[in-house]
């Protein structure tokens, strides 16, 4: 019944030796024991994504990730990141990327409207850090490849390390030049590196990468994929040796690498990657990418979740990645970059106020402790959930952050998705419902889009909702719930789930499995705010 | 005696600029240009024209037929 049939069984994907599958079973059991948010939460335990809390994590590692919105699912409710677009050049070609495409409303990774010099970037970082005290992380992710622009990338790091030393630096690369720059990366105390690894088999890789530029030569076909693969693995191993945390991003491309990503997951885990983030392919003909033009589709929400679930037994999965654009500013899921254009920054008097930032971050710390306390309360609730065995549901949540149900239905640009089962409630993903850059969608068209995006959910939690959308949601079989306004998400989800289970048991309602949902293609428009 | 960049296709990504062994590539108004007096078509340096090898837009760095092909002196 619920969901199970759609989950990909790891063994079904690839025949494995009995020995390996026994190991896998053991691993899965272990994970099941300590997964499930709140069920075994220690202080600051993240609910999922990088779900391992301090008790099973090297304290040194936890210190590095706990305030990083991209590495800790829990931190992404509280801390913000920014990307600066100082790296326009790239050294490989991906079939999901079109370097010519640049739309102010587009937010696929790699797309950016304003290129900055390192000096402009450093000033922008200071301006943002002074305005948004929860900004703790600066990333360079493009729009090309940071390591294809080493001078600009490292100059930016150097300037920021000098003026704002409390900001963590990170870098996102295709890995081709990573081995050559590893010492510079270590030298600037970059403590997080993301490598995009879409394959560990050149046979698969040749369908994703038409060419690479390496050692003064353009390589194509299987040779290109082989070189890229070898360099990526070497780079990952070198990061691990130097104790620099490495996250691996993979783009799930149905029919090309979807099944193969289970192997990628094993390969990167065995080389010490800390987190694996499987993202859906974003592909539409108007992007002008090879995949967009040849009709390659992206995965559905259920396909993505099934793959993430099947890899979760093996290592930390990250499900809160928003595939931000290369100049994103703000909390994940929001983009305030329009407030910080070069023009506006030039006009700003920037004073870097380390004290205010510290005070703010202490407040956040207290808030996080409160969330943890709420989680312990959850444990009590969970004991009563024993008879929920076999029932599960997804709940869409409108939130502005801080781990609470605190956004109006109509203002939400995305919904966070929580899965409630007998083991508790956990964050399993997010769905964008913002409108396309082509504009065109009027109010009346927006609702069906939202419903399609959360069609696999039983309920949607909101701070407030109008009468009309309420009725339409009910018609679509999604329960609009506003009674948890400003309550903690996971607690609310469990309490809703308990009521639901009780009703099912008493025969008042019949449990049904919901269908699949769409993954939004295209733009992540800055919230109207 | 040179390559040229089709300005209308150039994304301004700057990938070609540092690869040129003769420092023949420069930026103007957001797109990149090749100084034909400096370009040697990479002859004597590499087997392929570096700008064309790294450029993400096909057929954007191409031989400029308006000038004679480069003749290595040696
Ligand atoms: S693209 Fe992914 S990794 Fe980068 S900031 Fe956004 S969420 Fe984090
Ligand atoms: S062909 Fe070679 S020498 Fe000429 S501009 Fe391109 S990179 Fe420079
Ligand atoms: S590599 Fe191509 S697109 Fe990029 S700047 Fe040079 S000519 Fe323009």
């Amino acid at each position: 019944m619920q969901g199970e049939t759609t989950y990909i069984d790891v063994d079904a994907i690839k025949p494995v030796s009995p020995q390996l599958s026994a190991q896998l079973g053991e691993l899965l059991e272990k994970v099941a024991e300590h997964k499930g948010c709140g069920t075994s939460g220690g202080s600051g335990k993240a609910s999922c994504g990088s779900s391992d809390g301090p008790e099973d994590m090297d304290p040194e590692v936890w210190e590095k990730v706990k305030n990083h919105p991209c590495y800790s699912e829990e931190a992404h409710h509280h801390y913000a990141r920014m990307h600066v677009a100082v790296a326009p050049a790239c050294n490989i070609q991906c079939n999901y990327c079109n370097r010519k495409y640049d739309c102010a409303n587009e937010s696929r990774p790699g797309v950016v409207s304003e290129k900055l010099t390192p000096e402009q970037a450093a000033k922008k970082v200071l301006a943002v850090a002074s305005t948004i005290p929860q900004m703790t992380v600066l990333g360079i992710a493009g729009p090309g490849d940071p390591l294809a622009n080493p001078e600009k990338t490292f100059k930016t790091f150097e300037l920021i390390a000098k003026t704002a030393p409390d900001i963590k630096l990170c870098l996102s690369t295709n890995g081709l030049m990573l081995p050559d720059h590893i010492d510079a990366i270590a030298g600037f105390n970059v403590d997080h590196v993301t490598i995009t690894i879409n394959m560990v088999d050149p046979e698969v890789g040749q369908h994703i990468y038409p060419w690479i530029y390496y050692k003064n030569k353009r390589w194509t076909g299987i040779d290109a994929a082989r070189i890229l693969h070898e360099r990526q693995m070497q780079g990952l191993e070198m990061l691990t040796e130097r104790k620099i945390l490495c996250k691996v991003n993979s783009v799930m491309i149905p029919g090309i690498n979807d099944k193969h990503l289970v192997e990628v997951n094993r390969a990167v885990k065995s080389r010490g990657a800390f987190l694996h983030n499987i993202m859906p392919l974003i592909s539409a003909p108007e992007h002008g990418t090879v995949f967009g033009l040849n009709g390659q589709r992206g995965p559905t929400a259920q396909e993505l979740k099934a793959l993430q679930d099947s890899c979760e037994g093996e290592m930390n999965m990250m499900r809160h990645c928003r595939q931000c654009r290369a100049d994103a500013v703000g909390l994940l899921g929001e983009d305030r970059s329009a407030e910080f254009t070069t023009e506006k920054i030039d006009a700003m008097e920037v004073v870097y106020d380390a004290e205010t930032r510290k005070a703010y971050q202490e407040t956040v710390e207290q808030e996080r402790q409160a969330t943890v306390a709420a989680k312990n309360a959850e444990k009590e609730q969970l004991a009563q959930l024993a008879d929920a065995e076999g029932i599960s549901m997804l709940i869409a949540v409108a939130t502005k952050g801080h781990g609470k149900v605190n956004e109006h239905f109509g203002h939400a640009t995305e919904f966070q998705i929580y899965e409630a089962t007998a083991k508790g409630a956990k964050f399993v993903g997010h769905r964008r419902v913002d409108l396309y850059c082509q504009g065109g969608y009027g109010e009346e068209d927006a609702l069906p889009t939202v419903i399609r995006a959360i069609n696999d959910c039983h309920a949607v939690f909101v701070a407030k909702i109008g009468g009309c959308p309420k009725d339409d949601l009910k018609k679509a079989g999604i329960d609009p719930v506003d009674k948890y306004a400003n309550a903690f998400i996971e607690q609310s989800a469990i309490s809703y789930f308990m009521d639901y289970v009780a009703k099912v048991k008493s025969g008042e309602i019949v449990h049904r499995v919901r269908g699949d949902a769409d993954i939004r293609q295209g733009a992540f428009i800055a919230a109207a705010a | 005696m040179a390559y040229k960049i089709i300005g209308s296709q150039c994304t301004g990504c700057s990938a070609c600029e540092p690869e040129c062994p003769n420092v023949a590539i420069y930026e103007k108004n957001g797109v990149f240009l090749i100084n034909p007096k400096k370009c040697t078509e990479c002859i004597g340096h590499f087997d392929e024209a570096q700008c064309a090898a790294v450029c993400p837009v096909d057929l954007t760095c191409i031989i400029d037929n308006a000038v004679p092909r480069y003749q290595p002196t040696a």
Side-chain angles (χ1 to χ4, degrees):
Chain A
M1 33 172 306
Q2 99 314 323
E4 262 123 338
T5 44
T6 59
Y7 290 9
I8 299 171
D9 182 338
V10 184
D11 294 353
I13 290 173
K14 193 175 170 268
V16 288
S17 71
Q19 193 202 352
L20 193 65
S21 89
Q23 277 174 4
L24 209 64
E26 233 173 76
L27 248 172
L28 283 167
E29 251 168 56
K30 266 197 218 141
V31 168
E33 272 166 29
H34 77 231
K35 224 167 52 182
C37 315
T39 53
S40 62
S43 78
K45 179 162 169 88
S47 51
C48 25
S50 62
S51 55
D52 290 339
E55 74 271 22
D56 43 7
M57 191 188 276
D58 181 343
E60 203 183 315
V61 173
W62 176 243
E63 204 38 56
K64 282 187 182 171
V65 298
K66 79 172 192 180
N67 290 353
H68 193 304
C70 301
Y71 283 77
S72 154
E73 192 274 334
E74 197 252 341
H76 100 278
H77 294 295
H78 302 283
Y79 286 106
R81 54 74 185 101
M82 71 180 288
H83 290 168
V84 285
V86 294
C90 198
N91 46 17
I92 70 173
Q93 181 70 51
C94 306
N95 278 336
Y96 49 77
C97 180
N98 175 2
R99 312 297 316 291
K100 278 212 90 154
Y101 193 78
D102 190 327
C103 159
N105 284 328
E106 176 57 72
S107 74
R108 288 169 303 123
V111 177
V112 66
S113 356
E114 213 181 16
K115 285 165 205 146
L116 300 176
T117 65
E119 289 73 19
Q120 286 169 323
K123 184 157 185 211
K124 179 172 179 178
V125 171
L126 291 191
V128 173
S130 306
T131 316
I132 310 179
Q134 67 268 47
M135 207 280 287
T136 53
V137 175
L138 169 84
I140 299 184
D145 186 80
L147 301 180
N149 304 258
E151 291 86 17
K152 291 173 188 154
T153 296
F154 292 121
K155 181 74 192 166
T156 307
F157 282 162
E158 186 193 319
L159 293 171
I160 290 162
K162 247 188 248 156
T163 42
D166 65 322
I167 290 177
K168 289 179 195 297
L169 304 174
C170 66
L171 180 86
S172 179
T173 174
N174 60 40
L176 182 61
M177 296 314 288
L178 183 54
D180 295 14
H181 296 294
I182 202 92
D183 291 326
I185 291 173
F188 280 108
N189 274 327
V190 173
D191 46 13
H192 308 88
V193 173
T194 301
I195 316 178
T196 301
I197 300 180
N198 295 321
M199 52 87 198
V200 288
D201 178 354
E203 293 283 347
V204 175
Q206 62 182 336
H207 302 295
I208 305 172
Y209 305 104
W211 57 263
I212 66 168
Y213 175 82
Y214 179 63
K215 293 213 161 146
N216 300 108
K217 189 168 150 41
R218 180 181 282 210
W219 306 75
T220 56
I222 201 141
D223 293 336
R226 184 177 301 113
I227 294 170
L228 181 62
H229 164 62
E230 284 165 5
R231 298 281 287 177
Q232 288 176 333
M233 294 301 124
Q234 191 192 350
L236 172 54
E237 284 166 8
M238 291 169 94
L239 288 172
T240 305
E241 266 166 36
R242 285 165 181 74
K243 292 203 173 194
I244 300 169
L245 286 188
C246 180
K247 179 180 88 195
V248 170
N249 276 352
S250 300
V251 180
M252 177 182 183
I253 311 161
I256 292 187
N257 73 349
D258 46 346
K259 296 184 173 68
H260 178 66
L261 285 180
V262 176
E263 269 172 65
V264 171
N265 184 271
R266 285 190 196 129
V268 302
K269 188 201 176 185
S270 72
R271 287 174 178 79
F274 160 71
L275 192 63
H276 191 192
N277 171 28
I278 298 181
M279 312 182 290
L281 171 71
I282 297 176
S283 165
E286 59 271 30
H287 294 156
T289 60
V290 171
F291 284 152
L293 294 172
N294 73 14
Q296 171 66 49
R297 70 173 179 94
T300 69
Q302 293 290 296
E303 286 170 337
L304 177 66
K305 181 171 181 297
L307 178 62
Q308 289 174 333
D309 286 347
S310 73
C311 291
E312 190 158 45
E314 309 230 337
M315 73 186 294
N316 294 327
M317 291 300 298
M318 167 169 170
R319 300 173 191 251
H320 58 276
C321 178
R322 303 300 199 279
Q323 296 174 280
C324 321
R325 43 188 286 159
D327 61 352
V329 172
L331 286 170
L332 295 191
E334 83 178 352
D335 186 352
R336 296 175 59 176
S337 52
E339 291 170 44
F340 299 100
T341 60
T342 308
E343 214 175 284
K344 289 184 188 160
I345 288 167
D346 280 343
M348 273 186 209
E349 239 341 290
V350 179
V351 190
Y352 189 65
D353 186 351
E355 281 310 306
T356 315
R357 286 175 55 75
K358 211 167 148 226
Y360 180 88
Q361 286 167 20
E362 271 159 19
T363 326
V364 169
E365 201 47 47
Q366 281 163 13
E367 215 178 278
R368 286 170 87 172
Q369 300 303 333
T371 318
V372 171
K375 278 193 185 172
N376 288 336
E378 255 169 54
K379 270 199 234 167
E380 323 258 296
Q381 292 180 315
L382 279 170
Q384 305 164 35
L385 265 178
D387 56 349
E389 220 39 77
I391 301 183
S392 83
M393 66 162 66
L394 296 181
I395 297 168
V397 182
T399 174
K400 286 194 257 214
H402 306 281
K404 291 184 177 170
V405 182
N406 55 7
E407 180 64 292
H408 293 203
F409 179 80
H411 296 172
T413 54
E414 67 164 20
F415 289 92
Q416 299 195 353
I417 308 294
Y418 282 73
E419 183 178 48
T421 64
K423 291 200 173 68
K426 71 165 184 168
F427 175 86
V428 292
H430 55 88
R431 304 282 162 71
R432 288 167 43 191
V433 295
D434 55 317
L435 305 175
Y436 234 169
C437 67
Q438 276 79 8
Y441 284 107
E443 279 286 310
E444 62 285 4
D445 292 317
L447 195 60
T449 315
V450 174
I451 291 176
R452 274 201 301 280
I454 59 171
N455 186 47
D456 51 349
C457 298
H458 278 79
V460 54
F461 290 3
V462 297
K464 224 179 192 157
I465 183 168
C468 294
K470 212 171 190 172
D471 294 341
D472 285 351
L473 280 165
K474 280 190 192 142
K475 258 182 248 153
I478 302 169
D479 186 13
V481 184
D482 54 11
K483 69 174 174 184
Y484 299 116
N486 286 313
F488 286 112
I489 296 169
E490 281 149 21
Q491 261 181 319
S492 309
I494 291 174
S495 124
Y496 179 86
F497 183 61
M498 281 168 60
D499 288 351
Y500 180 89
V501 171
K503 283 188 194 154
V504 172
K505 296 289 158 182
S506 73
E508 193 183 329
I509 50 173
V510 179
H511 178 63
R512 288 169 304 110
V513 179
R514 305 226 13 118
D516 204 341
D518 281 354
I519 291 180
R520 190 102 189 85
Q521 301 292 299
F524 206 169
I525 299 175
Chain B
M1 61 193 231
Y3 270 67
K4 66 173 174 185
I5 291 171
I6 313 273
S8 60
Q9 300 186 50
C10 172
T11 67
C13 76
S14 81
C16 52
E17 185 196 41
E19 304 302 340
C20 176
N22 298 308
V23 204
I25 305 178
Y26 60 99
E27 182 176 0
K28 201 175 168 197
N29 300 328
V31 296
F32 284 75
L33 295 169
I34 292 171
N35 177 347
K37 294 203 178 68
K38 288 190 178 173
C39 171
T40 63
E41 301 172 14
C42 283
I43 291 166
H45 294 276
F46 302 108
D47 293 342
E48 32 188 314
Q50 296 300 295
C51 51
V54 74
C55 180
V57 190
D58 287 343
L59 301 178
T60 295
C61 301
I62 54 169
I63 298 267
D64 185 354
N65 288 318
V67 288
R69 297 296 301 267
Y70 176 75
Q71 296 298 331
T73 40

